[in-house]
Coordinates of all heavy atoms in Angstrom, one line a residue:
M611 N -42.4 -18.0 -11.3 CA -41.3 -17.0 -11.1 C -40.6 -17.4 -9.9 O -39.4 -17.4 -9.8 CB -41.8 -15.6 -11.1 CG -40.7 -14.6 -11.3 SD -40.0 -14.8 -12.9 CE -39.1 -13.3 -12.9
N612 N -41.4 -17.7 -8.7 CA -40.7 -17.9 -7.4 C -39.9 -19.3 -7.6 O -38.8 -19.3 -7.0 CB -41.7 -18.1 -6.3 CG -42.2 -16.7 -5.8 OD1 -41.4 -15.7 -6.1 ND2 -43.2 -16.7 -5.3
L613 N -40.3 -20.2 -8.3 CA -39.7 -21.4 -8.5 C -38.2 -21.3 -9.3 O -37.4 -21.8 -8.8 CB -40.5 -22.4 -9.3 CG -39.9 -23.8 -9.6 CD1 -39.6 -24.5 -8.3 CD2 -40.9 -24.6 -10.4
L614 N -38.3 -20.3 -10.2 CA -37.1 -20.0 -11.0 C -36.0 -19.3 -10.0 O -34.9 -19.6 -10.0 CB -37.4 -19.0 -12.1 CG -36.2 -18.7 -13.0 CD1 -35.6 -19.9 -13.6 CD2 -36.7 -17.8 -14.2
R615 N -36.6 -18.5 -9.2 CA -35.6 -17.8 -8.2 C -35.1 -18.7 -7.2 O -33.9 -18.6 -6.9 CB -36.5 -16.8 -7.4 CG -36.6 -15.4 -8.1 CD -37.0 -14.3 -7.1 NE -38.0 -13.6 -7.9 CZ -39.0 -12.7 -7.5 NH1 -39.1 -12.8 -6.2 NH2 -39.7 -12.1 -8.3
C616 N -35.9 -19.7 -6.7 CA -35.4 -20.7 -5.8 C -34.3 -21.7 -6.4 O -33.4 -22.0 -5.8 CB -36.6 -21.5 -5.3 SG -37.7 -20.6 -4.1
A617 N -34.5 -21.8 -7.8 CA -33.5 -22.7 -8.5 C -32.2 -22.0 -8.7 O -31.2 -22.5 -8.6 CB -34.1 -23.2 -9.7
L618 N -32.3 -20.6 -9.0 CA -31.1 -19.9 -9.3 C -30.3 -19.4 -8.0 O -29.1 -19.1 -8.1 CB -31.4 -18.7 -10.1 CG -32.0 -19.2 -11.5 CD1 -32.3 -17.7 -12.2 CD2 -30.8 -19.8 -12.3
L619 N -30.9 -19.3 -6.9 CA -30.4 -18.9 -5.7 C -29.0 -19.8 -5.2 O -28.0 -19.1 -5.0 CB -31.3 -18.8 -4.5 CG -30.7 -18.2 -3.2 CD1 -30.3 -16.7 -3.4 CD2 -31.9 -18.1 -2.1
P620 N -29.2 -21.0 -5.3 CA -28.0 -21.8 -4.9 C -26.9 -21.7 -5.8 O -25.6 -21.5 -5.5 CB -28.6 -23.3 -4.8 CG -30.0 -23.2 -4.6 CD -30.4 -21.8 -5.3
L621 N -27.2 -21.4 -7.1 CA -26.2 -21.3 -8.1 C -25.4 -19.9 -7.9 O -24.2 -19.9 -8.0 CB -26.8 -21.3 -9.5 CG -25.9 -21.2 -10.7 CD1 -24.8 -22.2 -10.7 CD2 -26.7 -21.1 -12.0
A622 N -26.3 -18.9 -7.6 CA -25.7 -17.6 -7.4 C -24.8 -17.5 -6.2 O -23.7 -16.9 -6.2 CB -26.8 -16.6 -7.3
L623 N -25.3 -18.3 -5.2 CA -24.5 -18.2 -3.9 C -23.2 -19.0 -4.1 O -22.1 -18.6 -3.5 CB -25.3 -18.9 -2.7 CG -26.4 -17.9 -2.1 CD1 -27.1 -18.8 -1.1 CD2 -25.7 -16.8 -1.5
S624 N -23.3 -20.0 -4.8 CA -22.1 -20.8 -4.9 C -21.0 -20.1 -5.7 O -19.8 -20.2 -5.5 CB -22.3 -22.3 -5.6 OG -22.7 -22.0 -7.0
S625 N -21.4 -19.3 -6.8 CA -20.4 -18.5 -7.5 C -19.9 -17.3 -6.7 O -18.7 -17.0 -6.9 CB -21.1 -18.0 -8.8 OG -22.0 -17.1 -8.6
V626 N -20.5 -16.7 -5.8 CA -20.1 -15.7 -4.9 C -19.2 -16.5 -3.9 O -18.1 -15.9 -3.8 CB -21.2 -15.0 -4.2 CG1 -20.7 -14.2 -3.1 CG2 -22.0 -14.2 -5.2
L627 N -19.5 -17.5 -3.3 CA -18.6 -18.1 -2.3 C -17.4 -18.7 -3.0 O -16.3 -18.7 -2.3 CB -19.3 -19.2 -1.6 CG -20.5 -18.8 -0.7 CD1 -21.2 -19.9 -0.1 CD2 -20.0 -17.8 0.4
S628 N -17.4 -19.1 -4.3 CA -16.1 -19.6 -4.9 C -15.2 -18.5 -5.0 O -14.0 -18.8 -5.1 CB -16.5 -20.4 -6.2 OG -17.0 -19.3 -7.1
G629 N -15.6 -17.2 -5.2 CA -14.8 -16.1 -5.3 C -13.9 -15.9 -4.0 O -12.9 -15.2 -4.0
C630 N -14.2 -16.6 -2.8 CA -13.5 -16.4 -1.6 C -12.4 -17.5 -1.5 O -11.7 -17.4 -0.5 CB -14.5 -16.6 -0.5 SG -15.8 -15.3 -0.4
Q631 N -12.4 -18.4 -2.3 CA -11.3 -19.4 -2.2 C -10.0 -18.7 -2.5 O -9.8 -18.0 -3.3 CB -11.6 -20.6 -3.2 CG -12.9 -21.4 -2.9 CD -13.1 -22.5 -3.9 OE1 -12.4 -22.5 -4.8 NE2 -14.1 -23.2 -3.6
K632 N -8.9 -19.3 -1.8 CA -7.6 -18.7 -1.9 C -6.9 -19.4 -3.0 O -6.8 -20.6 -3.1 CB -7.0 -19.0 -0.6 CG -5.6 -18.4 -0.4 CD -5.2 -18.7 1.0 CE -4.0 -17.9 1.4 NZ -3.5 -18.2 2.7
D633 N -6.3 -18.7 -3.9 CA -5.5 -19.2 -5.0 C -4.0 -19.3 -4.6 O -3.6 -18.6 -3.7 CB -5.6 -18.3 -6.2 CG -7.0 -18.2 -6.8 OD1 -7.7 -19.3 -6.7 OD2 -7.3 -17.3 -7.6
G634 N -3.5 -20.2 -5.2 CA -2.0 -20.4 -4.9 C -1.6 -21.3 -3.8 O -0.4 -21.5 -3.4
G635 N -2.6 -21.7 -3.0 CA -2.2 -22.8 -1.9 C -1.8 -22.0 -0.6 O -1.9 -20.7 -0.5
P636 N -1.3 -22.7 0.3 CA -1.0 -22.1 1.6 C 0.4 -21.3 1.4 O 1.2 -21.6 0.5 CB -0.5 -23.3 2.4 CG -0.2 -24.4 1.6 CD -1.1 -24.2 0.3
C637 N 0.4 -20.2 2.0 CA 1.5 -19.2 1.9 C 2.8 -19.5 2.9 O 2.5 -19.9 3.9 CB 1.1 -17.8 2.2 SG -0.1 -17.3 0.9
V638 N 3.9 -19.5 2.2 CA 5.1 -19.7 3.0 C 6.0 -18.5 2.9 O 6.2 -17.9 2.0 CB 5.9 -21.0 2.4 CG1 7.2 -21.2 3.1 CG2 5.0 -22.2 2.3
Y639 N 6.5 -18.1 4.2 CA 7.2 -16.9 4.3 C 8.6 -17.2 4.8 O 8.8 -18.3 5.5 CB 6.7 -15.9 5.4 CG 5.4 -15.2 4.8 CD1 4.2 -15.7 4.9 CD2 5.7 -14.0 4.2 CE1 3.1 -15.1 4.4 CE2 4.5 -13.3 3.8 CZ 3.3 -13.8 3.9 OH 2.2 -13.1 3.3
Q640 N 9.7 -16.5 4.4 CA 11.1 -16.6 4.9 C 11.4 -15.3 5.7 O 11.3 -14.4 5.2 CB 12.0 -16.8 3.8 CG 13.4 -17.0 4.3 CD 14.3 -17.2 3.0 OE1 14.0 -16.9 1.9 NE2 15.5 -17.7 3.3
E641 N 11.8 -15.6 6.9 CA 12.1 -14.4 7.9 C 13.5 -13.8 7.3 O 14.4 -14.5 6.8 CB 12.3 -14.7 9.2 CG 10.8 -15.1 9.8 CD 10.8 -15.3 11.4 OE1 11.8 -14.8 12.0 OE2 10.0 -15.8 11.8
F642 N 13.6 -12.4 7.5 CA 14.9 -11.9 7.1 C 15.1 -10.7 8.1 O 14.3 -10.3 8.8 CB 14.8 -11.2 5.7 CG 13.9 -9.9 5.6 CD1 14.4 -8.8 5.9 CD2 12.6 -10.2 5.4 CE1 13.5 -7.6 5.7 CE2 11.7 -9.1 5.2 CZ 12.2 -7.8 5.4
E643 N 16.4 -10.4 8.3 CA 16.8 -9.2 9.1 C 17.9 -8.6 8.4 O 19.0 -9.2 8.0 CB 17.3 -9.6 10.4 CG 17.7 -8.5 11.3 CD 18.0 -8.9 12.8 OE1 17.8 -10.1 13.1 OE2 18.4 -8.0 13.4
D644 N 17.8 -7.3 8.0 CA 18.9 -6.6 7.2 C 18.9 -5.1 7.4 O 18.0 -4.7 8.0 CB 18.7 -6.9 5.6 CG 19.8 -6.9 4.8 OD1 20.9 -6.5 5.3 OD2 19.8 -7.4 3.6
S645 N 20.0 -4.5 7.1 CA 20.2 -3.2 7.2 C 20.0 -2.4 5.9 O 20.5 -3.0 4.8 CB 21.6 -2.9 7.7 OG 21.9 -1.5 8.0
F646 N 19.3 -1.4 5.9 CA 19.0 -0.5 4.6 C 19.3 0.9 5.1 O 19.1 1.4 6.1 CB 17.5 -0.6 4.3 CG 17.1 -2.1 4.0 CD1 16.6 -2.9 5.0 CD2 17.2 -2.6 2.7 CE1 16.3 -4.2 4.8 CE2 16.9 -3.9 2.4 CZ 16.3 -4.6 3.4
Q647 N 19.7 1.7 4.1 CA 20.1 3.1 4.2 C 19.0 3.9 3.6 O 18.5 3.7 2.5 CB 21.4 3.4 3.4 CG 21.9 4.9 3.8 CD 23.4 5.0 3.3 OE1 24.0 4.1 2.9 NE2 23.8 6.2 3.5
I648 N 18.7 5.0 4.2 CA 17.6 5.8 3.8 C 18.0 6.7 2.8 O 19.1 7.4 2.9 CB 17.0 6.6 5.0 CG1 16.3 5.9 6.0 CG2 16.0 7.7 4.6 CD1 15.7 6.4 7.2
A649 N 17.4 6.7 1.6 CA 17.9 7.5 0.5 C 17.0 8.8 0.3 O 17.6 9.9 -0.1 CB 17.7 6.7 -0.8
E650 N 15.8 8.7 0.7 CA 14.9 9.9 0.5 C 13.7 9.8 1.5 O 13.3 8.8 1.8 CB 14.4 9.9 -0.9 CG 13.8 11.0 -1.4 CD 13.5 11.0 -2.9 OE1 13.9 10.2 -3.6 OE2 12.8 12.0 -3.5
I651 N 13.1 10.9 1.9 CA 11.9 11.1 2.6 C 11.1 11.9 1.9 O 11.3 13.1 1.6 CB 12.2 11.5 4.0 CG1 13.2 10.6 4.8 CG2 10.8 11.7 4.8 CD1 13.6 11.1 6.1
Q652 N 9.9 11.3 1.3 CA 8.9 12.1 0.7 C 7.5 12.0 1.3 O 6.8 11.1 1.5 CB 8.7 11.5 -0.8 CG 9.9 11.6 -1.6 CD 9.6 11.0 -3.0 OE1 8.7 10.2 -3.3 NE2 10.4 11.4 -4.0
G653 N 7.3 13.2 2.0 CA 6.0 13.2 2.9 C 6.0 12.2 3.9 O 6.8 12.3 4.9
E654 N 5.2 11.3 3.9 CA 5.0 10.2 4.9 C 5.7 9.0 4.5 O 5.5 7.8 5.1 CB 3.5 10.0 5.3 CG 3.0 11.1 5.9 CD 3.4 11.3 7.3 OE1 3.6 10.4 8.1 OE2 3.7 12.6 7.6
Q655 N 6.5 8.9 3.4 CA 7.1 7.7 3.0 C 8.7 7.8 3.0 O 9.1 8.9 2.5 CB 6.8 7.5 1.3 CG 5.2 7.2 1.2 CD 4.9 5.8 1.7 OE1 5.5 4.9 1.3 NE2 3.9 5.8 2.5
V656 N 9.2 6.8 3.5 CA 10.7 6.7 3.7 C 11.2 5.8 2.7 O 10.7 4.5 2.5 CB 11.2 6.2 5.1 CG1 12.6 5.9 5.1 CG2 10.7 7.2 6.1
Q657 N 12.1 6.1 1.6 CA 12.6 5.4 0.6 C 14.1 4.9 0.9 O 14.8 5.7 1.5 CB 12.5 6.2 -0.7 CG 11.3 6.9 -1.0 CD 10.7 6.5 -2.3 OE1 11.2 5.8 -3.1 NE2 9.4 6.9 -2.4
F658 N 14.3 3.8 0.5 CA 15.6 3.2 0.8 C 16.5 3.1 -0.4 O 16.1 3.1 -1.6 CB 15.6 1.7 1.3 CG 14.7 1.9 2.7 CD1 13.4 1.6 2.8 CD2 15.5 2.1 3.9 CE1 12.7 1.6 3.9 CE2 14.7 2.3 5.1 CZ 13.4 2.0 5.2
E659 N 17.9 3.0 -0.3 CA 18.8 3.0 -1.4 C 18.5 1.5 -2.1 O 18.1 0.5 -1.4 CB 20.3 2.7 -1.0 CG 20.7 4.2 -0.3 CD 21.1 5.3 -1.4 OE1 21.4 4.8 -2.5 OE2 21.1 6.5 -1.1
G660 N 18.6 1.5 -3.4 CA 18.4 0.3 -4.1 C 16.9 0.1 -4.2 O 16.1 0.9 -3.8
R661 N 16.5 -0.9 -4.8 CA 15.1 -1.3 -5.0 C 14.5 -2.5 -4.2 O 13.6 -3.1 -4.5 CB 14.7 -1.4 -6.6 CG 15.0 -0.2 -7.4 CD 13.8 0.8 -7.1 NE 14.1 1.9 -7.8 CZ 13.5 3.0 -7.5 NH1 12.6 3.3 -6.6 NH2 13.8 4.2 -8.2
I662 N 15.4 -3.0 -3.3 CA 15.1 -4.2 -2.7 C 13.9 -4.1 -1.6 O 13.0 -4.8 -1.6 CB 16.3 -4.8 -1.9 CG1 17.4 -5.2 -3.0 CG2 15.9 -6.1 -1.1 CD1 18.7 -5.5 -2.4
M663 N 13.9 -3.1 -0.8 CA 12.9 -2.7 0.1 C 12.0 -1.6 -0.4 O 12.5 -0.6 -0.8 CB 13.6 -2.3 1.5 CG 12.6 -1.9 2.5 SD 11.6 -3.3 3.1 CE 12.8 -4.5 3.7
P664 N 10.7 -1.9 -0.5 CA 9.7 -0.9 -0.8 C 9.8 0.3 0.3 O 10.1 0.0 1.5 CB 8.4 -1.7 -0.9 CG 8.6 -2.8 -0.1 CD 10.1 -3.2 0.0
P665 N 9.2 1.5 -0.1 CA 9.0 2.6 0.9 C 8.1 2.0 2.1 O 7.3 1.3 2.0 CB 8.3 3.6 0.0 CG 8.5 3.2 -1.3 CD 8.6 1.7 -1.4
L666 N 8.6 2.6 3.2 CA 7.9 2.4 4.6 C 7.3 3.7 5.0 O 7.7 4.8 4.7 CB 8.8 1.9 5.6 CG 9.4 0.5 5.5 CD1 10.2 0.3 6.7 CD2 8.3 -0.4 5.4
A667 N 6.1 3.5 5.6 CA 5.3 4.7 6.1 C 6.1 5.2 7.4 O 6.7 4.5 8.2 CB 4.0 4.4 6.5
M668 N 6.0 6.5 7.7 CA 6.6 7.1 8.8 C 6.3 6.5 10.1 O 7.0 6.5 11.1 CB 6.4 8.6 8.9 CG 7.1 9.3 7.8 SD 8.9 9.5 8.0 CE 8.9 10.9 8.9
H669 N 5.0 5.9 10.3 CA 4.7 5.4 11.5 C 5.5 4.2 12.0 O 5.4 3.8 13.3 CB 3.2 4.8 11.5 CG 2.9 3.7 10.6 ND1 3.1 2.5 11.2 CD2 2.4 3.6 9.4 CE1 2.7 1.5 10.3 NE2 2.3 2.2 9.2
W670 N 6.3 3.6 11.2 CA 7.2 2.6 11.6 C 8.4 3.0 12.5 O 9.1 2.3 13.1 CB 7.8 1.8 10.3 CG 6.9 0.8 9.8 CD1 6.1 1.0 8.7 CD2 6.4 -0.4 10.3 NE1 5.2 -0.2 8.5 CE2 5.6 -1.0 9.6 CE3 6.9 -1.1 11.6 CZ2 5.0 -2.2 9.8 CZ3 6.3 -2.4 11.8 CH2 5.4 -3.0 11.0
F671 N 8.6 4.4 12.5 CA 9.8 5.0 13.1 C 9.6 5.6 14.4 O 8.6 6.4 14.4 CB 10.5 6.0 12.2 CG 10.9 5.4 10.8 CD1 10.2 5.2 9.7 CD2 12.1 4.9 10.8 CE1 10.5 4.6 8.6 CE2 12.6 4.2 9.6 CZ 11.8 4.1 8.5
A672 N 10.3 5.1 15.5 CA 10.1 5.8 16.8 C 10.5 7.2 16.8 O 9.8 8.1 17.5 CB 10.9 5.1 17.8
Q673 N 11.6 7.6 16.1 CA 12.1 8.9 15.9 C 12.1 9.4 14.5 O 12.2 8.4 13.7 CB 13.5 9.1 16.5 CG 13.7 8.7 17.9 CD 13.1 9.6 18.9 OE1 13.0 10.9 18.6 NE2 12.5 9.2 20.0
P674 N 11.9 10.6 14.1 CA 11.9 10.9 12.8 C 13.2 10.6 12.1 O 14.3 10.8 12.6 CB 11.8 12.4 12.7 CG 11.2 12.7 14.1 CD 11.6 11.7 15.0
P675 N 13.1 9.8 11.0 CA 14.4 9.3 10.3 C 15.1 10.4 9.5 O 14.5 11.4 9.1 CB 13.9 8.1 9.4 CG 12.5 8.6 9.1 CD 12.0 9.3 10.4
Q676 N 16.3 10.2 9.2 CA 17.1 11.2 8.4 C 17.7 10.6 7.2 O 18.1 9.3 7.3 CB 18.3 11.7 9.3 CG 17.9 12.3 10.6 CD 17.1 13.7 10.3 OE1 17.4 14.4 9.5 NE2 16.1 13.8 11.2
V677 N 17.9 11.2 6.1 CA 18.4 10.7 4.9 C 19.9 10.3 5.3 O 20.6 11.0 6.0 CB 18.4 11.8 3.8 CG1 19.2 11.2 2.6 CG2 17.0 12.0 3.4
G678 N 20.3 9.2 4.8 CA 21.6 8.6 5.1 C 21.7 7.7 6.3 O 22.8 7.0 6.4
Q679 N 20.7 7.7 7.1 CA 20.7 6.9 8.3 C 20.4 5.4 7.8 O 19.8 5.1 7.0 CB 19.5 7.4 9.1 CG 19.4 6.7 10.4 CD 18.2 7.1 11.2 OE1 17.4 8.0 10.8 NE2 18.0 6.7 12.6
K680 N 21.1 4.6 8.7 CA 20.9 3.1 8.5 C 19.9 2.5 9.4 O 19.8 2.9 10.6 CB 22.2 2.4 8.6 CG 23.2 2.6 7.4 CD 24.3 1.7 7.3 CE 25.1 1.9 6.2 NZ 25.7 0.8 5.6
I681 N 19.0 1.8 8.8 CA 17.9 1.2 9.5 C 17.9 -0.2 9.5 O 18.1 -0.8 8.4 CB 16.6 1.7 8.9 CG1 16.5 3.2 8.9 CG2 15.2 1.0 9.6 CD1 16.3 3.8 10.3
N682 N 17.7 -1.0 10.6 CA 17.6 -2.4 10.7 C 16.1 -2.7 10.6 O 15.3 -2.3 11.3 CB 18.2 -2.9 11.9 CG 18.4 -4.5 12.0 OD1 18.9 -5.0 11.0 ND2 18.1 -5.0 13.0
I683 N 15.7 -3.7 9.6 CA 14.4 -4.2 9.4 C 14.3 -5.7 9.6 O 15.1 -6.4 9.0 CB 13.9 -3.7 8.1 CG1 14.0 -2.2 8.0 CG2 12.4 -4.3 7.8 CD1 13.5 -1.6 6.6
K684 N 13.4 -6.1 10.5 CA 13.1 -7.5 10.5 C 11.7 -7.7 9.9 O 10.8 -6.9 10.0 CB 13.1 -7.9 11.9 CG 14.4 -8.0 12.8 CD 14.2 -8.4 14.1 CE 15.4 -8.3 15.0 NZ 15.3 -8.7 16.3
G685 N 11.6 -8.8 9.1 CA 10.4 -9.1 8.5 C 10.2 -10.4 7.9 O 11.1 -11.3 8.3
K686 N 9.2 -10.6 7.0 CA 9.0 -11.9 6.4 C 8.7 -11.6 4.9 O 8.0 -10.7 4.7 CB 7.9 -12.7 6.9 CG 7.9 -13.1 8.4 CD 6.6 -13.7 8.8 CE 6.7 -14.2 10.3 NZ 5.4 -14.7 10.7
R687 N 9.4 -12.4 4.0 CA 9.2 -12.4 2.6 C 8.5 -13.6 2.1 O 8.8 -14.7 2.4 CB 10.5 -12.2 1.9 CG 11.2 -10.9 1.9 CD 12.3 -10.8 1.0 NE 12.9 -9.6 1.1 CZ 14.1 -9.3 1.7 NH1 14.8 -10.3 2.3 NH2 14.6 -8.1 1.7
L688 N 7.5 -13.3 1.3 CA 6.7 -14.4 0.7 C 7.6 -15.2 -0.4 O 8.2 -14.7 -1.1 CB 5.5 -13.8 -0.1 CG 4.5 -14.9 -0.8 CD1 3.8 -15.6 0.3 CD2 3.5 -14.1 -1.7
V689 N 7.6 -16.5 -0.1 CA 8.4 -17.5 -1.0 C 7.4 -18.4 -1.7 O 7.9 -19.0 -2.6 CB 9.5 -18.2 -0.3 CG1 10.6 -17.2 0.2 CG2 9.0 -19.0 0.9
Q690 N 6.2 -18.5 -1.3 CA 5.4 -19.5 -2.0 C 3.9 -19.0 -1.6 O 3.5 -18.7 -0.6 CB 5.5 -20.9 -1.5 CG 4.6 -22.0 -2.1 CD 4.9 -23.4 -1.5 OE1 5.9 -23.7 -1.0 NE2 3.8 -24.1 -1.7
G691 N 3.1 -19.0 -2.6 CA 1.6 -18.8 -2.5 C 1.3 -17.4 -2.9 O 2.1 -16.8 -3.7
S692 N 0.1 -16.9 -2.8 CA -0.2 -15.6 -3.3 C -0.9 -14.7 -2.2 O -1.9 -14.2 -2.3 CB -1.3 -15.8 -4.5 OG -2.4 -16.5 -3.9
C693 N -0.2 -14.5 -1.1 CA -0.5 -13.7 0.0 C 0.3 -12.4 -0.2 O 0.9 -12.2 -1.1 CB -0.2 -14.4 1.4 SG -1.2 -16.0 1.7
N694 N 0.2 -11.6 1.0 CA 0.9 -10.4 1.0 C 2.3 -10.6 0.8 O 3.0 -11.5 1.5 CB 0.6 -9.7 2.3 CG 1.0 -8.3 2.4 OD1 1.4 -7.7 1.4 ND2 1.0 -7.7 3.6
P695 N 3.0 -9.9 -0.1 CA 4.4 -10.3 -0.4 C 5.5 -9.9 0.7 O 6.7 -10.5 0.7 CB 4.8 -9.5 -1.7 CG 3.8 -8.5 -1.7 CD 2.5 -8.9 -0.9
L696 N 5.2 -9.0 1.6 CA 6.1 -8.6 2.6 C 5.3 -8.2 3.9 O 4.4 -7.6 3.9 CB 6.8 -7.3 2.0 CG 7.9 -6.7 3.0 CD1 9.2 -7.6 3.1 CD2 8.4 -5.5 2.4
E697 N 6.0 -8.8 5.0 CA 5.3 -8.4 6.3 C 6.6 -7.9 7.1 O 7.5 -8.6 7.4 CB 4.8 -9.7 6.9 CG 4.2 -9.4 8.2 CD 3.5 -10.7 8.9 OE1 3.1 -11.6 8.1 OE2 3.4 -10.7 10.0
I698 N 6.4 -6.6 7.6 CA 7.4 -6.1 8.4 C 7.2 -6.3 9.8 O 6.0 -6.0 10.4 CB 7.4 -4.4 8.3 CG1 7.7 -4.2 6.8 CG2 8.4 -3.9 9.2 CD1 9.0 -4.5 6.2
L699 N 8.2 -6.8 10.6 CA 7.9 -7.2 12.0 C 8.4 -6.0 13.0 O 7.9 -5.8 13.9 CB 8.6 -8.4 12.3 CG 8.2 -9.6 11.5 CD1 9.0 -10.8 11.8 CD2 6.7 -9.9 11.8
S700 N 9.6 -5.4 12.6 CA 10.2 -4.4 13.4 C 11.2 -3.5 12.6 O 11.8 -4.0 11.6 CB 10.9 -4.9 14.7 OG 12.1 -5.6 14.3
V701 N 11.3 -2.3 13.0 CA 12.2 -1.3 12.3 C 12.8 -0.5 13.4 O 12.3 0.1 14.4 CB 11.3 -0.2 11.5 CG1 12.3 0.8 11.0 CG2 10.5 -1.0 10.4
T702 N 14.3 -0.7 13.5 CA 15.1 0.0 14.5 C 16.2 0.6 13.8 O 16.6 0.3 12.7 CB 15.6 -1.0 15.5 OG1 16.3 -2.2 14.8 CG2 14.4 -1.6 16.4
E703 N 16.9 1.6 14.6 CA 18.1 2.2 14.0 C 19.2 1.2 14.1 O 19.4 0.4 15.0 CB 18.5 3.4 14.9 CG 17.5 4.6 14.7 CD 18.1 5.8 15.6 OE1 19.4 6.0 15.5 OE2 17.3 6.4 16.2
D704 N 20.1 1.1 13.0 CA 21.2 0.2 12.9 C 22.4 1.0 13.7 O 22.8 2.0 13.2 CB 21.4 0.0 11.5 CG 22.6 -1.1 11.3 OD1 22.8 -1.8 12.3 OD2 22.9 -1.3 10.2
Y705 N 23.0 0.3 14.7 CA 24.0 1.0 15.4 C 25.3 0.3 15.1 O 25.4 -0.8 14.9 CB 23.6 0.8 16.9 CG 22.5 1.7 17.3 CD1 21.4 1.0 17.7 CD2 22.6 3.0 17.5 CE1 20.2 1.8 18.1 CE2 21.4 3.8 17.9 CZ 20.3 3.1 18.1 OH 19.1 3.7 18.7

C-alpha cells in the first residue's frame, strides 16, 4: 500500500501544480486617462454614465462624490492575456 501511495504522490502533485500555470500568455495593458460623469451613487458604489467604466468603490474618492460630477480616471485596460481586465491608478475631480 505504501508503494502505491509513493507512486501516486508525484502524479497528484503535478496535477495540483499544473493548475497554477497562467493561461493566455503574458498580459499586456494599455494606459488610459479619461473623464467620466457620475450617474448614480448606490451605497459604497459610484456608477458612471454609459457602460464603459465599471462602478468604483467610494474609497477611491478623496471627497464624497456627487451625482453629475465629472471625474478624471487614469488606469490600464487589458488588451492581451487573461489577467485582471482593469487596473485603476488614480481618481481625481475633473476641473
Side-chain angles (χ1 to χ4, degrees):
M611 189 66 161
N612 282 339
L613 183 59
L614 182 59
R615 276 191 220 155
C616 291
L618 292 178
L619 183 60
L621 180 62
L623 284 177
S624 68
S625 66
V626 168
L627 293 176
S628 69
C630 296
Q631 293 176 354
K632 189 178 193 178
D633 292 333
C637 295
V638 177
Y639 286 88
Q640 180 178 20
E641 289 191 19
F642 71 90
E643 182 175 351
D644 209 345
S645 181
F646 300 91
Q647 187 168 358
I648 296 175
E650 191 175 353
I651 300 172
Q652 294 182 338
E654 292 295 311
Q655 296 288 310
V656 176
Q657 311 239 354
F658 298 96
E659 292 287 336
R661 296 284 178 200
I662 297 171
M663 180 59 62
L666 287 182
M668 290 291 270
H669 71 81
W670 281 103
F671 299 88
Q673 301 292 323
Q676 303 293 319
V677 172
Q679 182 179 9
K680 290 199 177 207
I681 300 296
N682 191 41
I683 298 177
K684 291 181 185 179
K686 296 179 185 179
R687 285 192 182 102
L688 181 69
V689 293
Q690 181 181 338
S692 58
C693 298
N694 194 9
L696 182 68
E697 183 179 332
I698 302 297
L699 301 175
S700 69
V701 175
T702 55
E703 286 186 44
D704 188 14
Y705 296 104

